[in-house]
Amino acid sequence: MSDHAKDKRQFVSLREWIKQFEKQFSGRELDYMTVHKASIAAQLKDSETGNLHLHNLTYKAKDAVDLTLKPL
């Protein structure tokens, strides 16, 4: 990757990323739908130390149906 391409990369704070993620859902979805399964992997970089942190977050409700997506 050239130096020019590196300068074009966008960096976003975790707080801003969460806001952007939330915007993908309507008000109705946010207020009335319940989460049955979720899995998010995030690699976070500490701006002060340069250390990388990997977070794997998973959630599954007791009555969640185990749906899977299969690639075509």
Side-chain angles (χ1 to χ4, degrees), residues 5 25 28 39 43 67:
F25 301 94
R28 182 184 184 286
S39 178
Q43 179 179 304
L67 301 176

Side-chain angles (χ1 to χ4, degrees), residues 58-72:
T58 58
Y59 171 79
K60 183 175 180 181
K62 288 182 183 178
D63 60 344
V65 176
D66 199 12
L67 301 176
T68 59
L69 295 175
K70 295 181 182 179
L72 298 175

Side-chain angles (χ1 to χ4, degrees), residues 50-65:
N51 292 338
L52 296 174
H53 303 269
L54 181 62
H55 296 268
N56 288 302
L57 310 162
T58 58
Y59 171 79
K60 183 175 180 181
K62 288 182 183 178
D63 60 344
V65 176

Side-chain angles (χ1 to χ4, degrees), residues 16-27 29-30 33 40:
E16 184 58 34
W17 183 85
I18 291 170
K19 287 179 188 176
Q20 291 174 12
F21 179 74
E22 193 174 56
K23 287 179 184 177
Q24 295 180 41
F25 301 94
S26 70
E29 289 170 325
L30 291 171
M33 297 184 103
I40 297 175

